[in-house]
PDB file of all heavy atoms in Angstrom:
ATOM      1  N   GLY A   1      83.093 100.740 101.261  1.00  0.00           N
ATOM      2  CA  GLY A   1      83.766 100.855  99.966  1.00  0.00           C
ATOM      3  C   GLY A   1      84.331 102.244  99.729  1.00  0.00           C
ATOM      4  O   GLY A   1      85.472 102.389  99.256  1.00  0.00           O
ATOM      5  N   PHE A   2      83.569 103.279 100.063  1.00  0.00           N
ATOM      6  CA  PHE A   2      84.060 104.649  99.901  1.00  0.00           C
ATOM      7  C   PHE A   2      85.268 104.904 100.792  1.00  0.00           C
ATOM      8  O   PHE A   2      86.269 105.496 100.369  1.00  0.00           O
ATOM      9  CB  PHE A   2      82.952 105.651 100.240  1.00  0.00           C
ATOM     10  CG  PHE A   2      82.063 105.994  99.090  1.00  0.00           C
ATOM     11  CD1 PHE A   2      80.788 105.454  99.001  1.00  0.00           C
ATOM     12  CD2 PHE A   2      82.490 106.854  98.089  1.00  0.00           C
ATOM     13  CE1 PHE A   2      79.950 105.764  97.939  1.00  0.00           C
ATOM     14  CE2 PHE A   2      81.664 107.171  97.026  1.00  0.00           C
ATOM     15  CZ  PHE A   2      80.392 106.625  96.940  1.00  0.00           C
ATOM     16  N   ASN A   3      85.178 104.469 102.042  1.00  0.00           N
ATOM     17  CA  ASN A   3      86.269 104.690 102.979  1.00  0.00           C
ATOM     18  C   ASN A   3      87.545 103.986 102.518  1.00  0.00           C
ATOM     19  O   ASN A   3      88.640 104.568 102.536  1.00  0.00           O
ATOM     20  CB  ASN A   3      85.854 104.200 104.366  1.00  0.00           C
ATOM     21  CG  ASN A   3      86.769 104.703 105.461  1.00  0.00           C
ATOM     22  OD1 ASN A   3      86.829 105.902 105.734  1.00  0.00           O
ATOM     23  ND2 ASN A   3      87.481 103.796 106.092  1.00  0.00           N
ATOM     24  N   SER A   4      87.409 102.732 102.078  1.00  0.00           N
ATOM     25  CA  SER A   4      88.571 101.956 101.623  1.00  0.00           C
ATOM     26  C   SER A   4      89.204 102.567 100.389  1.00  0.00           C
ATOM     27  O   SER A   4      90.436 102.670 100.287  1.00  0.00           O
ATOM     28  CB  SER A   4      88.158 100.502 101.341  1.00  0.00           C
ATOM     29  OG  SER A   4      87.674  99.878 102.502  1.00  0.00           O
ATOM     30  N   GLU A   5      88.370 102.965  99.434  1.00  0.00           N
ATOM     31  CA  GLU A   5      88.881 103.552  98.195  1.00  0.00           C
ATOM     32  C   GLU A   5      89.595 104.870  98.459  1.00  0.00           C
ATOM     33  O   GLU A   5      90.649 105.151  97.875  1.00  0.00           O
ATOM     34  CB  GLU A   5      87.749 103.767  97.192  1.00  0.00           C
ATOM     35  CG  GLU A   5      87.270 102.515  96.498  1.00  0.00           C
ATOM     36  CD  GLU A   5      88.357 101.854  95.646  1.00  0.00           C
ATOM     37  OE1 GLU A   5      89.146 102.585  95.000  1.00  0.00           O
ATOM     38  OE2 GLU A   5      88.418 100.618  95.639  1.00  0.00           O
ATOM     39  N   LEU A   6      89.036 105.692  99.344  1.00  0.00           N
ATOM     40  CA  LEU A   6      89.674 106.969  99.664  1.00  0.00           C
ATOM     41  C   LEU A   6      91.046 106.746 100.294  1.00  0.00           C
ATOM     42  O   LEU A   6      92.030 107.407  99.927  1.00  0.00           O
ATOM     43  CB  LEU A   6      88.778 107.772 100.602  1.00  0.00           C
ATOM     44  CG  LEU A   6      89.336 109.134 101.034  1.00  0.00           C
ATOM     45  CD1 LEU A   6      89.343 110.108  99.865  1.00  0.00           C
ATOM     46  CD2 LEU A   6      88.527 109.716 102.194  1.00  0.00           C
ATOM     47  N   LEU A   7      91.118 105.803 101.244  1.00  0.00           N
ATOM     48  CA  LEU A   7      92.381 105.556 101.948  1.00  0.00           C
ATOM     49  C   LEU A   7      93.443 104.964 101.035  1.00  0.00           C
ATOM     50  O   LEU A   7      94.645 105.137 101.277  1.00  0.00           O
ATOM     51  CB  LEU A   7      92.142 104.644 103.148  1.00  0.00           C
ATOM     52  CG  LEU A   7      91.299 105.261 104.284  1.00  0.00           C
ATOM     53  CD1 LEU A   7      91.051 104.254 105.393  1.00  0.00           C
ATOM     54  CD2 LEU A   7      91.963 106.524 104.834  1.00  0.00           C
ATOM     55  N   LYS A   8      93.036 104.281  99.989  1.00  0.00           N
ATOM     56  CA  LYS A   8      94.005 103.756  99.009  1.00  0.00           C
ATOM     57  C   LYS A   8      94.802 104.887  98.378  1.00  0.00           C
ATOM     58  O   LYS A   8      96.009 104.783  98.164  1.00  0.00           O
ATOM     59  CB  LYS A   8      93.280 102.983  97.903  1.00  0.00           C
ATOM     60  CG  LYS A   8      92.861 101.574  98.246  1.00  0.00           C
ATOM     61  CD  LYS A   8      92.208 100.936  97.024  1.00  0.00           C
ATOM     62  CE  LYS A   8      91.595  99.585  97.355  1.00  0.00           C
ATOM     63  NZ  LYS A   8      90.911  98.993  96.174  1.00  0.00           N
ATOM     64  N   HIS A   9      94.098 105.959  98.072  1.00  0.00           N
ATOM     65  CA  HIS A   9      94.728 107.072  97.360  1.00  0.00           C
ATOM     66  C   HIS A   9      95.235 108.151  98.295  1.00  0.00           C
ATOM     67  O   HIS A   9      96.241 108.810  98.007  1.00  0.00           O
ATOM     68  CB  HIS A   9      93.721 107.683  96.370  1.00  0.00           C
ATOM     69  CG  HIS A   9      93.236 106.728  95.331  1.00  0.00           C
ATOM     70  ND1 HIS A   9      93.969 106.424  94.199  1.00  0.00           N
ATOM     71  CD2 HIS A   9      92.098 105.990  95.247  1.00  0.00           C
ATOM     72  CE1 HIS A   9      93.293 105.553  93.455  1.00  0.00           C
ATOM     73  NE2 HIS A   9      92.168 105.270  94.061  1.00  0.00           N
ATOM     74  N   PHE A  10      94.529 108.351  99.423  1.00  0.00           N
ATOM     75  CA  PHE A  10      94.890 109.417 100.359  1.00  0.00           C
ATOM     76  C   PHE A  10      94.827 108.867 101.785  1.00  0.00           C
ATOM     77  O   PHE A  10      93.836 109.055 102.500  1.00  0.00           O
ATOM     78  CB  PHE A  10      93.933 110.606 100.212  1.00  0.00           C
ATOM     79  CG  PHE A  10      93.830 111.137  98.806  1.00  0.00           C
ATOM     80  CD1 PHE A  10      92.703 110.865  98.033  1.00  0.00           C
ATOM     81  CD2 PHE A  10      94.853 111.888  98.252  1.00  0.00           C
ATOM     82  CE1 PHE A  10      92.594 111.346  96.745  1.00  0.00           C
ATOM     83  CE2 PHE A  10      94.757 112.368  96.955  1.00  0.00           C
ATOM     84  CZ  PHE A  10      93.630 112.093  96.194  1.00  0.00           C
ATOM     85  N   PRO A  11      95.887 108.177 102.224  1.00  0.00           N
ATOM     86  CA  PRO A  11      95.872 107.483 103.522  1.00  0.00           C
ATOM     87  C   PRO A  11      95.607 108.394 104.723  1.00  0.00           C
ATOM     88  O   PRO A  11      95.147 107.921 105.763  1.00  0.00           O
ATOM     89  CB  PRO A  11      97.274 106.861 103.606  1.00  0.00           C
ATOM     90  CG  PRO A  11      97.739 106.767 102.188  1.00  0.00           C
ATOM     91  CD  PRO A  11      97.139 107.938 101.484  1.00  0.00           C
ATOM     92  N   GLU A  12      95.898 109.685 104.601  1.00  0.00           N
ATOM     93  CA  GLU A  12      95.731 110.585 105.740  1.00  0.00           C
ATOM     94  C   GLU A  12      94.405 111.336 105.713  1.00  0.00           C
ATOM     95  O   GLU A  12      94.116 112.124 106.624  1.00  0.00           O
ATOM     96  CB  GLU A  12      96.892 111.591 105.773  1.00  0.00           C
ATOM     97  CG  GLU A  12      98.249 110.928 106.002  1.00  0.00           C
ATOM     98  CD  GLU A  12      99.377 111.946 106.064  1.00  0.00           C
ATOM     99  OE1 GLU A  12      99.073 113.157 105.957  1.00  0.00           O
ATOM    100  OE2 GLU A  12     100.529 111.545 106.219  1.00  0.00           O
ATOM    101  N   SER A  13      93.584 111.097 104.684  1.00  0.00           N
ATOM    102  CA  SER A  13      92.298 111.794 104.592  1.00  0.00           C
ATOM    103  C   SER A  13      91.218 111.059 105.376  1.00  0.00           C
ATOM    104  O   SER A  13      91.295 109.842 105.572  1.00  0.00           O
ATOM    105  CB  SER A  13      91.868 111.935 103.126  1.00  0.00           C
ATOM    106  OG  SER A  13      92.663 112.876 102.459  1.00  0.00           O
ATOM    107  N   GLU A  14      90.223 111.810 105.788  1.00  0.00           N
ATOM    108  CA  GLU A  14      89.156 111.265 106.617  1.00  0.00           C
ATOM    109  C   GLU A  14      87.816 111.514 105.932  1.00  0.00           C
ATOM    110  O   GLU A  14      87.433 112.662 105.695  1.00  0.00           O
ATOM    111  CB  GLU A  14      89.189 111.954 107.985  1.00  0.00           C
ATOM    112  CG  GLU A  14      88.551 111.165 109.102  1.00  0.00           C
ATOM    113  CD  GLU A  14      88.870 111.768 110.459  1.00  0.00           C
ATOM    114  OE1 GLU A  14      88.699 112.987 110.622  1.00  0.00           O
ATOM    115  OE2 GLU A  14      89.295 111.026 111.359  1.00  0.00           O
ATOM    116  N   LEU A  15      87.118 110.421 105.609  1.00  0.00           N
ATOM    117  CA  LEU A  15      85.813 110.545 104.954  1.00  0.00           C
ATOM    118  C   LEU A  15      84.756 110.961 105.969  1.00  0.00           C
ATOM    119  O   LEU A  15      84.522 110.269 106.960  1.00  0.00           O
ATOM    120  CB  LEU A  15      85.419 109.212 104.319  1.00  0.00           C
ATOM    121  CG  LEU A  15      84.085 109.223 103.553  1.00  0.00           C
ATOM    122  CD1 LEU A  15      84.208 110.049 102.279  1.00  0.00           C
ATOM    123  CD2 LEU A  15      83.637 107.806 103.224  1.00  0.00           C
ATOM    124  N   GLU A  16      84.124 112.112 105.720  1.00  0.00           N
ATOM    125  CA  GLU A  16      83.064 112.588 106.606  1.00  0.00           C
ATOM    126  C   GLU A  16      81.994 113.286 105.779  1.00  0.00           C
ATOM    127  O   GLU A  16      82.220 113.693 104.644  1.00  0.00           O
ATOM    128  CB  GLU A  16      83.631 113.534 107.667  1.00  0.00           C
ATOM    129  CG  GLU A  16      84.493 112.810 108.690  1.00  0.00           C
ATOM    130  CD  GLU A  16      85.063 113.726 109.746  1.00  0.00           C
ATOM    131  OE1 GLU A  16      85.519 114.833 109.398  1.00  0.00           O
ATOM    132  OE2 GLU A  16      85.063 113.337 110.925  1.00  0.00           O
ATOM    133  N   GLY A  17      80.806 113.415 106.376  1.00  0.00           N
ATOM    134  CA  GLY A  17      79.701 114.049 105.675  1.00  0.00           C
ATOM    135  C   GLY A  17      78.400 113.838 106.424  1.00  0.00           C
ATOM    136  O   GLY A  17      78.374 113.854 107.651  1.00  0.00           O
ATOM    137  N   ALA A  18      77.322 113.592 105.669  1.00  0.00           N
ATOM    138  CA  ALA A  18      76.013 113.466 106.314  1.00  0.00           C
ATOM    139  C   ALA A  18      75.051 112.689 105.436  1.00  0.00           C
ATOM    140  O   ALA A  18      75.205 112.603 104.217  1.00  0.00           O
ATOM    141  CB  ALA A  18      75.440 114.850 106.613  1.00  0.00           C
ATOM    142  N   LEU A  19      74.044 112.102 106.094  1.00  0.00           N
ATOM    143  CA  LEU A  19      72.882 111.568 105.398  1.00  0.00           C
ATOM    144  C   LEU A  19      71.907 112.727 105.258  1.00  0.00           C
ATOM    145  O   LEU A  19      71.433 113.276 106.247  1.00  0.00           O
ATOM    146  CB  LEU A  19      72.255 110.421 106.196  1.00  0.00           C
ATOM    147  CG  LEU A  19      73.148 109.205 106.454  1.00  0.00           C
ATOM    148  CD1 LEU A  19      72.381 108.131 107.208  1.00  0.00           C
ATOM    149  CD2 LEU A  19      73.685 108.640 105.137  1.00  0.00           C
ATOM    150  N   SER A  20      71.630 113.110 104.029  1.00  0.00           N
ATOM    151  CA  SER A  20      70.941 114.361 103.734  1.00  0.00           C
ATOM    152  C   SER A  20      69.527 114.131 103.222  1.00  0.00           C
ATOM    153  O   SER A  20      69.139 113.017 102.858  1.00  0.00           O
ATOM    154  CB  SER A  20      71.747 115.162 102.703  1.00  0.00           C
ATOM    155  OG  SER A  20      72.059 114.345 101.577  1.00  0.00           O
ATOM    156  N   ILE A  21      68.761 115.219 103.185  1.00  0.00           N
ATOM    157  CA  ILE A  21      67.404 115.195 102.627  1.00  0.00           C
ATOM    158  C   ILE A  21      67.494 115.863 101.262  1.00  0.00           C
ATOM    159  O   ILE A  21      67.159 117.028 101.081  1.00  0.00           O
ATOM    160  CB  ILE A  21      66.408 115.920 103.546  1.00  0.00           C
ATOM    161  CG1 ILE A  21      66.480 115.345 104.969  1.00  0.00           C
ATOM    162  CG2 ILE A  21      64.986 115.794 103.004  1.00  0.00           C
ATOM    163  CD1 ILE A  21      65.674 116.110 105.986  1.00  0.00           C
ATOM    164  N   GLY A  22      67.983 115.119 100.297  1.00  0.00           N
ATOM    165  CA  GLY A  22      68.265 115.669  98.977  1.00  0.00           C
ATOM    166  C   GLY A  22      69.731 116.040  98.863  1.00  0.00           C
ATOM    167  O   GLY A  22      70.390 116.393  99.859  1.00  0.00           O
ATOM    168  N   GLU A  23      70.260 115.939  97.651  1.00  0.00           N
ATOM    169  CA  GLU A  23      71.669 116.194  97.399  1.00  0.00           C
ATOM    170  C   GLU A  23      71.799 117.231  96.283  1.00  0.00           C
ATOM    171  O   GLU A  23      71.009 117.238  95.343  1.00  0.00           O
ATOM    172  CB  GLU A  23      72.392 114.899  96.989  1.00  0.00           C
ATOM    173  CG  GLU A  23      72.356 113.833  98.051  1.00  0.00           C
ATOM    174  CD  GLU A  23      70.974 113.221  98.232  1.00  0.00           C
ATOM    175  OE1 GLU A  23      70.386 112.742  97.244  1.00  0.00           O
ATOM    176  OE2 GLU A  23      70.460 113.260  99.376  1.00  0.00           O
ATOM    177  N   ILE A  24      72.819 118.079  96.398  1.00  0.00           N
ATOM    178  CA  ILE A  24      73.011 119.189  95.460  1.00  0.00           C
ATOM    179  C   ILE A  24      74.249 118.910  94.619  1.00  0.00           C
ATOM    180  O   ILE A  24      75.325 118.628  95.151  1.00  0.00           O
ATOM    181  CB  ILE A  24      73.160 120.511  96.219  1.00  0.00           C
ATOM    182  CG1 ILE A  24      71.877 120.809  96.994  1.00  0.00           C
ATOM    183  CG2 ILE A  24      73.493 121.658  95.270  1.00  0.00           C
ATOM    184  CD1 ILE A  24      72.026 121.890  98.041  1.00  0.00           C
ATOM    185  N   TYR A  25      74.069 119.012  93.299  1.00  0.00           N
ATOM    186  CA  TYR A  25      75.193 118.692  92.415  1.00  0.00           C
ATOM    187  C   TYR A  25      75.046 119.369  91.060  1.00  0.00           C
ATOM    188  O   TYR A  25      73.987 119.339  90.447  1.00  0.00           O
ATOM    189  CB  TYR A  25      75.269 117.176  92.197  1.00  0.00           C
ATOM    190  CG  TYR A  25      76.249 116.769  91.103  1.00  0.00           C
ATOM    191  CD1 TYR A  25      77.619 116.734  91.352  1.00  0.00           C
ATOM    192  CD2 TYR A  25      75.804 116.437  89.826  1.00  0.00           C
ATOM    193  CE1 TYR A  25      78.514 116.364  90.353  1.00  0.00           C
ATOM    194  CE2 TYR A  25      76.692 116.065  88.821  1.00  0.00           C
ATOM    195  CZ  TYR A  25      78.040 116.034  89.099  1.00  0.00           C
ATOM    196  OH  TYR A  25      78.930 115.677  88.119  1.00  0.00           O
ATOM    197  N   SER A  26      76.109 119.982  90.614  1.00  0.00           N
ATOM    198  CA  SER A  26      76.281 120.384  89.222  1.00  0.00           C
ATOM    199  C   SER A  26      77.768 120.530  88.978  1.00  0.00           C
ATOM    200  O   SER A  26      78.457 121.230  89.730  1.00  0.00           O
ATOM    201  CB  SER A  26      75.571 121.699  88.913  1.00  0.00           C
ATOM    202  OG  SER A  26      75.866 122.109  87.584  1.00  0.00           O
ATOM    203  N   SER A  27      78.262 119.874  87.960  1.00  0.00           N
ATOM    204  CA  SER A  27      79.706 119.851  87.685  1.00  0.00           C
ATOM    205  C   SER A  27      80.182 121.114  86.997  1.00  0.00           C
ATOM    206  O   SER A  27      81.372 121.249  86.704  1.00  0.00           O
ATOM    207  CB  SER A  27      80.045 118.642  86.814  1.00  0.00           C
ATOM    208  OG  SER A  27      79.380 118.738  85.566  1.00  0.00           O
ATOM    209  N   GLY A  28      79.289 122.048  86.711  1.00  0.00           N
ATOM    210  CA  GLY A  28      79.665 123.246  85.980  1.00  0.00           C
ATOM    211  C   GLY A  28      79.351 123.158  84.508  1.00  0.00           C
ATOM    212  O   GLY A  28      79.613 124.087  83.748  1.00  0.00           O
ATOM    213  N   SER A  29      78.757 122.040  84.096  1.00  0.00           N
ATOM    214  CA  SER A  29      78.433 121.874  82.675  1.00  0.00           C
ATOM    215  C   SER A  29      76.973 121.484  82.481  1.00  0.00           C
ATOM    216  O   SER A  29      76.597 120.991  81.430  1.00  0.00           O
ATOM    217  CB  SER A  29      79.331 120.805  82.046  1.00  0.00           C
ATOM    218  OG  SER A  29      79.159 119.561  82.695  1.00  0.00           O
TER     219      SER A  29
END
């Protein structure tokens, strides 16, 4: 689903990353 959705909007982009031990996130707010 992530790969398909990304390619809909950005056909030349490549989804990559990792399966992690915890995830880091803060939007700045």
